[in-house]
Amino acid sequence: MKGIQLLPIDIHAAQNIRLADELRLDAELLAVHAELSRMDPTGERFATVLRNTIDQLLNGEATGRYSWESLYKTERTHAGTLVEINLQREFKFADGRAMDYRITDIEVDCKYSQSFGGWMIPPEARGHLCLLLWANDQESRWSAGLFRVKEEWLNRGGNRDAKLTIKAIHRDKIHWLWRDAELPENVLLHMDSSDRDAVFAPQSGQQRLNELFRRAQKRRISRNVVRTVAQQKDYMKRVRGNGGSRSALKPEGILIMGDYDSHRAVAEQLGLLPPREGEFVSVRVARKRPHHQAAPQAMLDGQAWVVATPDDEPVAAPSLPSHAR
């Protein structure tokens, strides 16, 4: 009819509606999704497991390695098994009868890939739910989602054990728990190369740690990074006072805050990201002066301190509060 214009059909919108309807009808997927969201509402536990698993493979204390590319092929192949084991240890998932886990008494297989979309689905997982995980240390990102394994959504298996992959066009069938979330940073991997070379230059583990805290200020430094740089079994002792980095860098005005509540509070007062469990944050401070204007401040040793500017002369750092958690 004249005068009537038909609106164009949004094919993608229609497909998304059908997908949403299909997910709503998958009671098992929704139940597992709800349980995992309840157990880890922020994703922090999943992120920590992935961070720790990568660090476990790197084994920096013994090897000094800090990048995924430095792993042997056999070590990379082992990553998926370690992720599966470490997630079960963290969340206490029950053993599956046919798949890896039982979550709310529903069989769930666990698949990890360092390459997004590279999940290898075994033929026996057809019809089951898969927990798909991806992490990339270079990008400091990770994802986790649930996928109902259906024949029509898979590529044919061409490898020896007939494992299958998800067709790229059907990755929209993954029901994401977390997508492109932040993976705790691997500081050594992301440091400027000249800074990293300076950190590893000294022969002494203590001197290497001192250089790390000088050059990686205002960044969360994990215990594994400390272990990798020190390459000593008593690496935590090398951070503390009484001869460790805290006392060595105090004359330069550098504070090293740990994961104690009192230290975290100081970091927040100075406008820094507070260290999480097993982390440290270092920063050079100065007594507050008029030119600091409205800079965030912390009261230490009865004086106001701020993050030092390049124009501030180094002065000895104050003492941090007692180690109350």
Side-chain angles (χ1 to χ4, degrees):
M1 295 176 61
K2 291 183 178 181
I4 298 178
Q5 291 184 337
L6 297 178
L7 295 174
I9 297 173
D10 189 336
I11 296 175
H12 293 293
Q15 290 174 338
N16 289 338
I17 291 171
R18 286 198 300 272
L19 175 59
D21 288 341
E22 189 165 354
L23 291 174
R24 278 196 291 270
L25 293 173
D26 194 332
E28 288 189 344
L29 185 150
L30 293 177
V32 173
H33 188 282
E35 178 64 6
L36 292 176
S37 297
R38 182 194 67 79
M39 298 176 81
D40 189 13
T42 65
E44 186 173 346
R45 294 173 71 186
F46 267 86
T48 299
V49 168
L50 292 169
R51 171 77 273 150
N52 290 344
T53 301
I54 294 171
D55 293 341
Q56 182 180 352
L57 283 163
L58 291 170
N59 191 18
E61 181 182 330
T63 66
R65 298 181 302 187
Y66 53 84
S67 70
W68 179 270
E69 285 68 28
S70 66
L71 294 174
Y72 295 117
K73 181 179 177 181
T74 50
E75 291 175 310
R76 298 182 193 185
T77 304
H78 193 45
T81 301
L82 283 179
V83 168
E84 174 193 329
I85 292 169
N86 291 339
L87 280 175
Q88 189 166 29
R89 285 175 177 168
E90 173 66 25
F91 292 98
K92 307 294 188 295
F93 297 138
D95 285 332
R97 300 181 185 91
M99 299 289 100
D100 295 322
Y101 311 138
R102 273 184 297 124
I103 303 173
T104 64
D105 209 33
I106 297 165
E107 296 282 325
V108 179
D109 213 33
C110 178
K111 292 300 164 201
Y112 168 81
S113 176
Q114 206 267 340
S115 172
F116 187 82
W119 305 288
M120 304 300 292
I121 313 294
E124 60 270 21
R126 288 187 180 94
H128 289 285
L129 289 177
C130 273
L131 173 60
L132 304 177
L133 297 124
W134 163 81
N136 187 302
D137 214 8
Q138 190 67 51
E139 298 178 15
S140 297
R141 313 304 294 175
W142 69 279
S143 297
L146 293 166
F147 177 73
R148 174 69 72 183
V149 181
K150 294 190 177 183
E151 186 78 41
E152 61 269 26
W153 294 346
L154 302 174
N155 292 305
R156 291 177 177 270
N159 53 354
R160 194 165 33 187
D161 50 6
K163 287 187 177 178
L164 313 168
T165 56
I166 302 169
K167 292 178 180 178
I169 196 173
H170 290 303
R171 289 178 194 161
D172 63 351
K173 311 302 190 298
I174 301 169
H175 195 38
W176 295 108
L177 287 144
W178 298 278
R179 183 76 172 90
D180 281 333
E182 180 185 354
L183 184 71
E185 185 190 27
N186 180 342
V187 170
L188 290 173
L189 182 64
H190 293 99
M191 286 180 77
D192 181 86
S193 59
S194 61
D195 285 334
R196 187 169 55 238
D197 290 344
V199 167
F200 281 104
Q203 292 295 312
S204 160
Q206 182 63 69
Q207 291 177 2
R208 290 195 296 271
L209 276 183
N210 295 349
E211 200 62 32
L212 171 70
F213 287 115
R214 280 193 193 101
R215 291 177 178 266
Q217 293 186 38
K218 306 179 188 178
R219 298 166 78 169
R220 287 166 165 164
I221 298 173
S222 72
R223 189 171 295 178
N224 183 71
V225 168
V226 171
R227 183 188 295 125
T228 301
V229 171
Q231 294 187 47
Q232 294 170 325
K233 293 193 179 298
D234 60 348
Y235 62 93
M236 288 299 291
K237 180 182 176 183
R238 306 293 173 180
V239 178
R240 304 186 184 111
N242 300 320
S245 293
R246 266 200 192 109
S247 56
L249 298 181
K250 186 173 183 177
E252 301 175 27
I254 295 175
L255 291 175
I256 301 174
M257 290 151 284
D259 59 2
Y260 303 107
D261 285 346
S262 57
H263 289 198
R264 288 170 48 83
V266 170
E268 289 176 333
Q269 290 161 17
L270 291 172
L272 306 173
L273 285 173
R276 295 168 294 205
E277 184 177 355
E279 293 181 332
F280 303 92
V281 172
S282 65
V283 67
R284 189 170 74 88
V285 294
R287 294 186 186 91
K288 188 168 185 181
R289 294 289 184 263
H291 70 274
H292 294 123
Q293 299 181 348
Q297 66 178 46
M299 294 299 296
L300 298 167
D301 289 348
Q303 297 185 72
W305 294 81
V306 298
V307 174
T309 69
D311 296 330
D312 289 317
E313 292 293 327
V315 295
S319 300
L320 284 164
S322 61
H323 300 344
R325 288 193 183 276

